[in-house]
């Protein structure tokens, strides 16, 4: 479904990713593991089109999407939940979840059916303002927003990081539920112990390079 072929990315003229190659198959959970600063977030942002690729290719469903902007990649079926969540604090939970998908023409009923099937606990929180939520709840809303547009591939940046064990277990189950729904998942994590029981494939990244699969 997704292939990165020798992808290089620069930030402020510094080479941050060097010849990154990885694959995510249909219905597969793939994890990118590495310490802070290894290039995990940069990799996800380059796949989403937020950061420009200097060389190499990003291929999604057989199409070279390297030159496409983020909104075009979203229309093709790529969803993204960033580590810092990027919620609108004065929007309600429901407004945060539906805002991007509605711009893409997705029906609200369809959004509700999909999101609440995976996050039933959000059903009673839709009226709350985002800034009143706990960190774990905000992370749920961020992931739900990525799900709202019915992606075939979802990118999750550190979804398990900084969570209490019971909440981390819930998010791990969410990732497995996505797989059961037929959604491919590529997510980044710092701690391999959090992911080894749920990932089909693990890529270890260090200093902008894949060092082990």
């Amino acid at each position: 479904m997704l292939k990165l072929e020798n992808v290089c990315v620069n930030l402020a003229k510094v080479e941050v990713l060097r010849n990154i190659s990885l694959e995510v198959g249909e219905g597969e959970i793939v994890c990118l593991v590495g310490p802070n600063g290894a290039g995990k977030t940069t990799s996800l942002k380059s796949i989403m089109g937020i950061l420009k690729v200097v060389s190499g290719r990003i291929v999604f469903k057989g199409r070279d999407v390297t030159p496409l902007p983020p909104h075009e990649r979203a229309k093709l079926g790529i969803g993204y939940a960033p580590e810092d969540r990027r919620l609108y604090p004065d929007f309600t939970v429901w407004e945060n979840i539906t805002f991007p998908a509605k711009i893409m023409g997705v029906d609200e009923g369809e959004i509700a059916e999909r999101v609440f099937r995976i996050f039933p606990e959000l059903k009673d929180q839709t009226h709350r303002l985002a800034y009143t939520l706990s960190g774990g709840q905000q992370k749920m809303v961020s992931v739900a927003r990525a799900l709202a547009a019915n992606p075939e591939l979802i990118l999750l940046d550190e979804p398990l990081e900084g969570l209490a064990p019971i909440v981390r277990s819930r998010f791990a189950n969410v990732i497995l539920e996505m797989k059961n729904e037929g959604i491919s998942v590529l997510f980044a994590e710092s701690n391999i112990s959090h992911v080894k029981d749920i990932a089909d494939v693990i890529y270890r990244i260090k200093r902008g390079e894949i060092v082990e699969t």
Side-chain angles (χ1 to χ4, degrees):
M1 172 170 281
L2 175 75
K3 283 186 178 182
L4 271 66
E5 301 175 350
N6 299 312
V7 168
C8 296
V9 174
N10 292 352
L11 292 177
K13 298 183 179 180
V14 176
E15 192 176 43
V16 178
L17 295 185
R18 289 179 289 278
N19 297 314
I20 293 288
S21 295
L22 60 81
E23 295 187 27
V24 182
E26 289 191 19
E28 195 170 49
I29 298 173
V30 176
C31 185
L32 195 58
V33 173
N36 291 337
K40 303 186 303 295
T41 295
T42 301
S43 297
L44 297 186
K45 286 184 174 180
S46 68
I47 295 167
M48 197 65 228
I50 298 168
L51 294 177
K52 184 179 178 180
V53 170
V54 174
S55 62
R57 294 201 313 159
I58 297 172
V59 179
F60 180 60
K61 296 193 297 184
R63 176 176 177 179
D64 185 354
V65 299
T66 313
L68 297 183
H71 69 276
E72 292 293 340
R73 302 189 197 198
K75 288 179 181 178
L76 290 175
I78 303 177
Y80 174 53
E83 182 185 6
D84 57 4
R85 301 184 286 274
R86 293 296 178 98
L87 301 182
Y88 297 98
D90 294 321
F91 279 23
T92 66
V93 166
W94 186 242
E95 288 168 337
N96 269 286
I97 290 172
T98 59
F99 179 60
K102 284 171 68 177
I103 291 175
M104 294 168 60
V106 183
D107 178 73
E108 282 197 46
E110 181 185 337
I111 295 171
E113 194 277 332
R114 181 182 309 112
V115 165
F116 296 144
R117 187 168 64 245
I118 293 179
F119 287 112
E121 54 266 70
L122 291 179
K123 196 168 186 178
D124 296 328
Q125 307 294 325
T126 54
H127 63 287
R128 292 182 61 183
L129 297 180
Y131 77 87
T132 68
L133 302 176
S134 68
Q137 289 172 323
Q138 288 186 15
K139 194 165 285 193
M140 284 187 184
V141 174
S142 177
V143 177
R145 179 179 58 194
L147 284 169
N150 195 24
E152 295 178 58
L153 167 70
I154 191 163
L155 312 173
L156 306 176
D157 196 354
E158 303 268 16
L160 308 177
E161 185 69 22
L163 299 177
I166 190 169
V167 183
R168 187 167 62 242
S169 177
R170 173 70 182 107
F171 268 89
N173 286 333
V174 163
I175 292 171
L176 291 171
E177 287 175 37
M178 291 180 190
K179 178 179 179 177
N180 291 336
E181 295 269 335
I183 301 170
S184 301
V185 180
L186 173 61
F187 72 110
E189 280 295 334
S190 299
N191 192 335
I192 195 169
S193 67
H194 293 166
V195 308
K196 59 185 179 181
D197 292 331
I198 60 174
D200 298 308
V201 180
I202 297 174
Y203 290 89
R204 192 184 295 271
I205 186 171
K206 186 177 181 181
R207 296 179 182 175
E209 297 180 292
I210 300 294
V211 295
E212 185 181 7
T213 304

